[in-house]
């Protein structure tokens, strides 16, 4: 049976082209160095953004959820003490990807601005022609209507790319906190829960996204542990080392070992 609908009003979120774009936004917003990312706070803020993005395409949602799992993995590795001095920083690969993405984004912005300026300028030759000569009459028989239509479509596409509509997130049809309680109760009752089999039995993409976010939150709170014997194998959830209450999940408290 579908979960009870939430009646909160729709909100608008900034459009992000991918998970790296969202991470760069959070780094700028928190005014922190990209070379020393505070994984704990960035991970929590990233998950908070995910809870508001319910109308995304499945492929895009998969990229965001994959990045969320990677951030949780880095967060758990940061909690472990270093085995040897000079051990490689687990955030190094993430920093390299963010730097490469930022360079590409800055270059794309520069090229776009240059093209905009170029298209808005008249050449000296054209200006002189219109100032000294009368405007030539247009022979409609020489007009290529196909080329004119293609040019019009290109202009409209460039305008649409430069002015994307805001992303409107409608009220949630599935409550993430309720999904957390359902999964946690099932794991405690059965002792072991096959996550992928559970997801495959759901046909609604929004419910699949809610279950994934709820599972990641339970793992973050250490209420459940996720285990996988080999890549692409079944993911099993088993009880974690923290006993959670309904209040814990509603308040989204941090794990007790981080207090």
């Amino acid at each position: 049976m579908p979960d009870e609908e939430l009646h909160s009003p729709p909100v608008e979120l900034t459009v992000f082209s991918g998970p790296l774009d969202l991470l760069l936004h959070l780094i700028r917003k928190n005014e922190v160095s990209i070379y020393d990312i505070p994984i704990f706070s960035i991970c929590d803020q990233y998950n908070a953004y995910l809870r508001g993005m319910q109308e995304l395409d499945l492929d895009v949602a998969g990229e965001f959820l994959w990045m969320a799992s990677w951030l949780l993995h880095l967060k758990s590795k940061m909690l472990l003490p270093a085995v040897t001095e000079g051990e490689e920083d687990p955030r190094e690969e993430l920093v390299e990807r963010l730097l490469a993405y930022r360079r590409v984004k800055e270059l794309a912005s520069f090229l776009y601005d240059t093209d905009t300026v170029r298209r808005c300028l008249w050449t000296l030759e054209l200006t002189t022609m219109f100032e000294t000569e009368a405007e030539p009459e247009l022979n409609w028989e020489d007009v290529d209507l196909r080329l004119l239509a293609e040019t019009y479509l290109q202009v409209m596409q460039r305008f649409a790319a430069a002015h994307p509509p805001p992303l409107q997130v409608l009220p949630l049809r599935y409550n993430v906190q309720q999904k957390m309680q359902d999964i946690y109760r099932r794991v405690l009752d059965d002792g072991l829960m096959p996550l992928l089999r559970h997801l495959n039995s759901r046909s609604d993409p929004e419910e699949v996204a809610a279950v994934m976010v709820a599972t990641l939150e339970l793992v973050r709170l250490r209420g459940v542990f996720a285990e996988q014997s080999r890549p692409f194998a079944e993911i099993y959830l088993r009880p974690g080392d923290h006993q959670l209450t309904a209040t814990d999940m509603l308040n989204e408290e941090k794990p007790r070992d981080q207090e």
Side-chain angles (χ1 to χ4, degrees):
M1 179 179 296
D3 297 320
E4 181 180 358
E5 294 185 0
L6 300 182
H7 299 287
S8 57
V11 298
E12 291 186 353
L13 298 177
T14 304
V15 177
F16 298 105
S17 58
L20 291 176
D21 199 26
L22 174 54
L23 284 179
L24 283 178
H25 167 75
L26 293 177
I27 290 173
R28 289 193 298 267
K29 179 181 177 181
N30 289 272
E31 299 181 349
V32 297
S33 172
I34 197 173
Y35 297 96
D36 188 20
I37 302 173
I39 290 296
F40 295 97
S41 60
I42 292 296
C43 181
D44 293 342
Q45 294 177 39
Y46 185 93
N47 287 329
Y49 267 86
L50 285 189
R51 287 192 290 271
M53 303 169 70
Q54 299 296 314
E55 294 296 319
L56 295 177
D57 181 77
L58 274 181
D59 293 336
V60 178
E63 294 176 3
F64 279 87
L65 293 173
W66 179 87
M67 179 60 72
S69 64
W70 189 18
L71 291 176
L72 289 173
H73 175 69
L74 292 178
K75 184 176 179 180
S76 62
K77 293 190 69 173
M78 297 292 291
L79 291 173
L80 299 176
V83 179
T84 59
E85 293 185 3
E87 184 178 0
E88 181 180 354
D89 191 334
R91 301 170 296 179
E92 183 174 350
E93 182 181 356
L94 178 61
V95 171
E96 292 177 355
R97 292 195 181 188
L98 285 171
L99 289 174
Y101 178 79
R102 187 175 66 178
R103 286 194 295 268
V104 172
K105 186 175 182 180
E106 291 174 350
L107 179 58
S109 178
F110 171 79
L111 294 176
Y112 175 80
D113 293 340
T114 303
D115 183 67
T116 301
V117 173
R118 180 185 60 80
R119 288 185 285 108
C120 292
L121 293 178
W122 291 96
T123 64
L124 180 60
E125 179 181 356
L126 289 176
T127 303
T128 304
M129 181 186 68
F130 283 111
E131 288 179 352
T132 58
E133 299 179 6
E135 184 176 353
E137 295 184 0
L138 181 62
N139 186 358
W140 290 101
E141 295 180 356
D142 297 334
V143 175
D144 189 340
L145 295 181
R146 181 181 302 176
L147 180 60
L148 183 62
E150 291 179 354
T151 303
Y152 173 77
L153 290 177
Q154 291 175 3
V155 172
M156 296 303 296
Q157 289 172 358
R158 286 198 297 267
F159 180 84
H163 303 81
L167 176 64
Q168 186 181 42
V169 179
L170 300 176
L172 307 181
R173 294 196 297 115
Y174 294 94
N175 189 324
V176 173
Q177 283 75 24
Q178 183 61 48
K179 288 294 183 184
M180 290 174 64
Q181 296 178 18
D182 295 341
I183 295 173
Y184 186 61
R185 188 182 307 111
R186 178 173 174 179
V187 170
L188 292 182
D189 293 342
D190 300 343
L192 207 63
M193 173 182 167
L195 177 60
L196 298 182
R197 190 182 310 167
H198 180 71
L199 291 175
N200 290 333
S201 65
R202 268 45 186 177
S203 59
D204 191 332
E206 294 188 14
E207 184 178 9
V208 171
V211 171
M212 280 299 305
V213 174
T215 302
L216 292 174
E217 280 296 294
L218 287 174
V219 173
R220 182 180 70 86
L221 295 173
R222 303 181 67 86
V224 302
F225 290 151
E227 297 177 344
Q228 188 178 40
S229 59
R230 64 182 184 278
F232 306 108
E234 179 62 80
I235 300 175
Y236 289 97
L237 304 179
R238 62 178 179 84
D241 54 7
H242 285 296
Q243 295 292 329
L244 301 180
T245 65
T247 303
D248 294 333
M249 289 178 274
L250 287 175
N251 293 337
E252 299 178 0
E253 294 180 351
K254 296 182 178 178
R256 297 185 180 92
D257 57 356
Q258 297 180 20
E259 293 181 352

